[in-house]
Amino acid sequence: MSAPRSLPRFSATFDRHAIAEIQRAAATGIYDIRGAGAKRKLPHFDDLLFLGASISRYPLEGYRERCDTNVVLGARHAKRPVELQIPVTIAGMSFGALSAPAKEALGRGASIAGTSTTTGDGGMTEEERGHSRTLVYQYLPSRYGMNPADLRRADAIEVVVGQGAKPGGGGMLLGQKITERVARMRNLPAGIDQRSACRHPDWTGPDDLAIKIEELREITAWEKPIFVKVGASRPYYDTALSVKAGADVVVLDGMQGGTAATQEVFIEHVGLPTLAAIRPAVQALQDLGMHRRVQLIVSGGIRGGADMAKALALGADAVSIGTAALIALGDNDPALEQEYQKLGTTAGAYDDWHEGRDPAGITTQDPELFARLDPVLAGRRLANFLSVMTMEAQAIARACGKSHLHNLEPEDLVSLTLEAAAMTRVPLAGTDWYPGKEFADGR
Amino acid sequence: MTEALSVDLAETSLRDLHATLHALPKDTNRTLWRVRNPRGKHSVAVGLDAPISLRIEGHVGYYAAGMNARASVLIDGNAGPGVAENMMSGKVRVRGDASQSAGASGRGGLLVIEGNAGARCGISMKGIDIVVRGSVGHLSAFMAQEGFLVVGGDAGEALGDSLYEARLFVRGRVASLGADCEEKPIRPEDRAALENLLERAGFSELRAGDFRMYGSARRLYHFHVDNASAY
């Protein structure tokens, strides 16, 4: 009998991913670029629970008593605020990063569900305008495809300062996705690697932003709500400055929010988790007397009705989904496993959206691949998902005795971890305490 | 001669001015306008989309004639940042100097600046033509994609940084070229385009033969690790 040998021991620090990345970097000399948002484990909505009703609070009857879900965005200054039937919108994703059928499917699904979709870095396509009942037009640093006619046929305008996956970063669309159509919309040669600027070309800082917002309002006759989208990094100040600059709506995107193509190191190491960003943003609105007058839309890692309900309870007016919407369309479908294997990945982990070889036909400009996506069916799947999200949130809200999703409040929640309690100022489960809370006796 | 319709911004709000101008039909015969007392206001005459001639009598703040389409706008004074930003078509002329980001991301039309322009003139330009009689500041034509930038004087540092397919003509000294920007030989079609722009700008005293041309070296069109030091 041979002597027992020690069990091979893997390092918690140099885990499989870290080792593979060092080996990949050493072999190629270039950092890793990928799509999607932060994949590391972060404090998230899973770290909160709802309490439900009890003796002191009584519930509403499921399937019987009303629990409303509508939301009005942009009534602060806009003559024509956006009215949505559900408080979940589709986040900005560009034509270029996504195929035209995918953009059409997003518009179809959102319209069936009674909500809005959003353009992205690359301008407005007929597919999405035609199939979106409510369309938010992003006004981005690159200004690709930007023109006043599209500005006027949008239902709202979203000035993009940053996004959660890369606060402070610009974008990149690799040459294989710059087809003739994409290139034409962006005034660029086809086939080149295209950069999207990280700063707007004609304004910097909050005072300029106020002037820029006024210009957009003057051009669109003060009709459209103006959103300002920021990546979560300094949510208290960014929210306050957006309000000062005249925003009707603040869109706050946490680091789990997706991107079409960004450096892995950027995605995983810059920005705040969505959970940590909400309470400071709400505090800023409350300090300014603007909570519920300026709406807060939260995005980044929203996966279903529970996440939506928790974000609303923390003070958001609506949430926005991007990655979840793509999954609903058919992204990372296990039925495509063989094709994912050929790309060196597996269903559920596919994130090389920048390469344009998406077997689901969503993050590609390859005509053979994007022809696979039926925009009608995919739109139906998205509508189904949005409906389920809403019903889930309603089920929770009724259990908490709320006749509108907006009546959910922090007092309906408890935290499961100290981190979540500190970030959200929601007491740790079983206590009335969160880190930083002072006791009545001053301790 | 038809008398110009006059709007006095000392008495009329910007919102009312734009409501009037934006309501003009595409084939309007109310084509001559003057705007008095702009007094440095921001966003004067933005989003025009009619074949009118509009004269602004004084200095303007940010974004004057922003997103202009088809209109011909004369600013009889100086202009703040972002004059004619994202212009689609038409013509904008600044009699005095223009601040930074003049013509930013413009997609068409002609911007003429009779004085000097500040930093980032023509930043992100996407088809607009810009002719500056004087000098331009640093980082002009940064990430410029399409169109011509003509500079009768000098250009500041990092001219044409990260340039795409825009063409830059400079008559005077260039403090430095930005990443991936290089001097190009002037082809007959380039010279013809330059002469045409100088003529349309009304700068007959400037001779095309005195200019040098700059464009993209196209070395950064595809991200490559060997170029990392250039970024």
Side-chain angles (χ1 to χ4, degrees), chain B residues 54-57 72-76 91-95:
Chain B
L54 183 142
R55 176 192 179 102
I56 302 171
E57 297 175 353
S72 179
V73 178
L74 171 65
I75 297 165
D76 205 352
K91 190 171 175 180
V92 175
R93 176 182 289 271
V94 181
R95 280 264 191 257

Side-chain angles (χ1 to χ4, degrees), chain A residues 142 186 193 201 208 215 218, chain B residues 18 62 85 101 126 145 223:
Chain A
S142 73
R186 298 179 185 223
D193 294 345
D208 283 5
E215 183 204 11
E218 287 291 333
Chain B
H18 289 132
Y62 283 53
E85 64 88 14
S101 303
K126 296 170 167 57
Q145 297 172 219
F223 185 82

Side-chain angles (χ1 to χ4, degrees), chain B residues 208-226:
Chain B
D210 294 338
F211 285 80
R212 291 182 167 196
M213 189 176 82
Y214 305 88
S216 176
R218 304 190 181 97
R219 283 188 292 266
L220 304 184
Y221 273 14
H222 293 278
F223 185 82
H224 194 279
V225 66
D226 292 344

Side-chain angles (χ1 to χ4, degrees), chain A residues 1 21 26 64 67 126 128 130 151 191 199 219 230 264 270-271 283 308 329 343 355 381 386 401 429 436:
Chain A
M1 184 178 165
E21 181 52 25
R64 290 291 181 274
C67 177
E126 293 306 319
E128 64 186 337
L151 208 59
R199 296 188 305 270
I219 288 172
V230 294
E264 154 98 3
V270 182
Q283 189 66 54
M308 171 163 70
L329 296 188
L343 296 172
E355 292 180 348
R381 284 196 294 267
L386 289 167

